[in-house]
Amino acid sequence: MKRRSGAVPAAWCLACLFALAAGAVADDREMVSEIFRTALAEGRTHQLLRELCLRYPHRLSGSPESEAANRWVKTVMEERGLEVRLQEVMVPYWERGDTMVVEVAVDGRTEALSALALGGSVGTPVGGLEAPVIEVDSLEQVEALGETGIEGRIVFFNRALDQGRVRHFEAYMGAADQRVSGAAMAGRFGAVAVLVRSLSFLDDDYPHTGGLRYEEGVRQIPAAAISVRAANRLSLLLSASPQLRVSILMNCRQREDQVSHNVIGELKGSVHPDEYITIGAHFDAWDVGEGAQDNGSGSMQSIEAVYLLQELGYEFRRSVRVVMFANEEYLVGQPFRGGQVYAEEALKKGEKHYAAIETDAGAFTPRGFGVEGPPAMVERVRSWLEYFDTDNTVHYVAEGGGGPEIWVLNELLGTPTFDLRTDTQRYLDFHHSDNDTFDKVNRRELELGTAAMASLLYLIDTHGLTEQPDAER
Ligand SMILES: [Zn+2]
């Protein structure tokens, strides 16, 4: 394969190649800092992400756009010397449609509220619907209000994210039940539709979509997210006029399941070709914005992390698989079908999966790694922190790690799983919204993430995950 000239400083390169040739472990601190230096100075994750976002911004599971993106990413991986195949995955397919209107009547005029249908939602009747609104802040409140309080109304879930949480994900999980289960709960008591405050810390006008889950046997009612600004506005209007009526018109719909694919690129290992290290990310994205942070960045980082090591002259001991997983964002019934199919095939073929790394944490400065494995393994990975610039990049290793795409490997084959942890304070500013576009991605933070993943991959492959030396295995 073609190597870029000047990718490695000549002096270090010779020393490193000599060390590798002699079968010794090169100076790992030097290697890791070289990975970071090269990624920052010459990394091409940013360029690749730009192309993805320009060409295939909408990659919703099951859509023709997502399949076109799969074909593109296959050629990208082939250009980088990987042997690529498409693995068939049946995925759900939901269409947003072209109409989404939420209006409120105020003083004889109508005012529009910024809204996005929730993924999986049914549409309204053709002419739309109009009803009074009841504002609530929890599923429990809906249950307590019962049919008398809920029937015939639009239920407006307005519980904000808890700003007091340091970890964005805890705040997110603390409010996400409204989006995921609000329609099912309100539908049970005869509501006609649901509006949900967006899961964002920002007080802006971007609505944030996301998946919902209906309940079997409960009438399916339309559900949409409204922006934080719209939620604050609606709440204010309701406090002045509780009898206020809101109209909703949306033509989204669920369609038949479609054939989609995991895109798998493989590179043969030189010492243990029958052992696999998987590095990947979910490649599907919402049909709004460009899926830049979620998860174009993680996808392109996975590809470039492997390429970066190749370009630095590193020869993988184990076989490496770069996987663009199908179907994470939007689920019906059986969850995360991309990861499921990948792990089931591995089990059937009796493959040995040594480790799996994924990322879905946005293009932000890397801070740590999560590890799902025995305590001794977590400790071993923790000892590698000495190779990193811990003041500015990776500085912790947490117990428990991986992600929905690779946890199935852990369940079925016992594979240790890893994930990249980033500084996620701004993640929800973009998540699942029109604000998730390429121009918001910081090139240096993105390339640092690639470097962190490449370093982890390198260290796992070189050192192994247990004390046992490779020669004895
Ligand atoms: Zn994601």
Side-chain angles (χ1 to χ4, degrees), residues 25 85 99 105 196 206 213 224 279 339-340 364 416:
V25 176
R85 70 187 173 100
T99 306
V196 184
Y206 286 105
R213 224 173 285 145
I279 179 167
Q340 190 79 33
F364 306 106

Side-chain angles (χ1 to χ4, degrees), residues 105-118:
V106 192
D107 302 332
R109 61 185 177 81
T110 55
E111 193 176 312
L113 301 177
S114 299
L116 272 177
L118 292 182

Side-chain angles (χ1 to χ4, degrees), residues 66 173 208-209 252 266 277 283 320 323 431 444:
S66 119
M173 290 313 287
H208 296 239
T209 188
C252 47
E266 196 169 312
I277 302 179
F283 190 52
V320 172
V323 185
H431 194 237
R444 289 179 61 84

Side-chain angles (χ1 to χ4, degrees), residues 71-369:
R71 288 192 292 274
W72 171 80
V73 85
K74 179 172 183 281
T75 64
V76 165
M77 289 203 256
E78 281 166 349
E79 282 162 15
R80 282 155 181 74
L82 303 179
E83 195 171 305
V84 189
R85 70 187 173 100
L86 299 177
Q87 183 180 44
E88 213 173 281
V89 184
M90 284 305 285
V91 299
Y93 179 28
W94 172 81
E95 256 184 356
R96 182 171 300 284
D98 56 5
T99 306
M100 176 72 253
V101 183
V102 177
E103 281 176 341
V104 52
V106 192
D107 302 332
R109 61 185 177 81
T110 55
E111 193 176 312
L113 301 177
S114 299
L116 272 177
L118 292 182
S121 174
V122 296
T124 57
V126 177
L129 58 86
E130 194 207 40
V133 179
I134 173 116
E135 178 178 337
V136 298
D137 69 2
S138 67
L139 301 178
E140 294 73 29
Q141 197 184 342
V142 172
E143 219 167 1
L145 284 163
E147 271 176 31
T148 1
I150 299 296
E151 198 170 15
R153 290 171 180 252
I154 295 168
V155 174
F156 166 36
F157 287 94
N158 194 30
R159 185 166 86 258
L161 295 183
D162 179 355
Q163 290 279 0
R165 299 276 180 176
V166 172
R167 298 179 183 190
H168 89 281
F169 195 64
E170 287 176 7
Y172 182 77
M173 290 313 287
D177 62 338
Q178 303 171 102
R179 188 198 77 204
V180 176
S181 308
M185 179 61 87
R188 214 192 281 176
F189 297 102
V192 295
V194 156
L195 295 175
V196 184
R197 181 188 182 94
S198 284
L199 298 171
S200 167
F201 286 117
L202 288 187
D203 192 343
D204 67 12
D205 210 20
Y206 286 105
H208 296 239
T209 188
L212 61 68
R213 224 173 285 145
Y214 288 124
E215 222 171 81
E216 228 179 287
V218 173
R219 195 165 66 91
Q220 300 187 347
I221 58 173
I226 57 174
S227 70
V228 168
R229 188 173 180 277
N232 290 339
R233 177 73 180 148
L234 180 58
S235 184
L236 184 78
L237 292 171
L238 279 169
S239 61
S241 343
Q243 301 312 315
L244 199 83
R245 293 178 76 86
V246 163
S247 59
I248 305 177
L249 175 64
M250 52 201 246
N251 63 353
C252 47
R253 62 180 175 144
Q254 188 65 44
R255 301 191 52 174
E256 295 280 286
D257 283 7
Q258 297 288 316
V259 176
S260 183
H261 299 92
N262 290 329
V263 185
I264 304 173
E266 196 169 312
L267 202 64
K268 274 271 166 288
S270 57
V271 182
H272 304 293
D274 60 334
E275 289 184 3
Y276 295 99
I277 302 179
T278 296
I279 179 167
H282 77 77
F283 190 52
D284 62 321
W286 283 101
D287 55 337
V288 293
E290 297 169 353
Q293 307 276 2
D294 185 14
N295 191 14
S297 57
S299 304
M300 300 303 98
Q301 283 171 328
S302 303
I303 295 172
E304 286 300 315
V306 173
Y307 193 45
L308 184 60
L309 289 176
Q310 283 180 275
E311 291 227 304
L312 286 173
Y314 181 68
E315 202 178 318
F316 287 96
R317 300 166 66 78
R318 295 175 180 80
S319 293
V320 172
R321 279 203 190 143
V322 183
V323 185
M324 302 290 100
F325 287 100
N327 185 220
E328 190 263 357
E329 290 296 2
Y330 159 63
L331 315 167
V332 171
Q334 183 195 8
F336 308 116
R337 298 190 200 178
Q340 190 79 33
V341 168
Y342 182 71
E344 279 170 3
E345 189 192 278
L347 181 69
K348 210 160 82 192
K349 288 185 172 173
E351 289 173 353
K352 283 189 244 170
H353 282 256
Y354 190 73
I357 308 170
E358 84 160 78
T359 182
D360 187 13
F364 306 106
T365 303
R367 295 292 191 215
F369 300 119

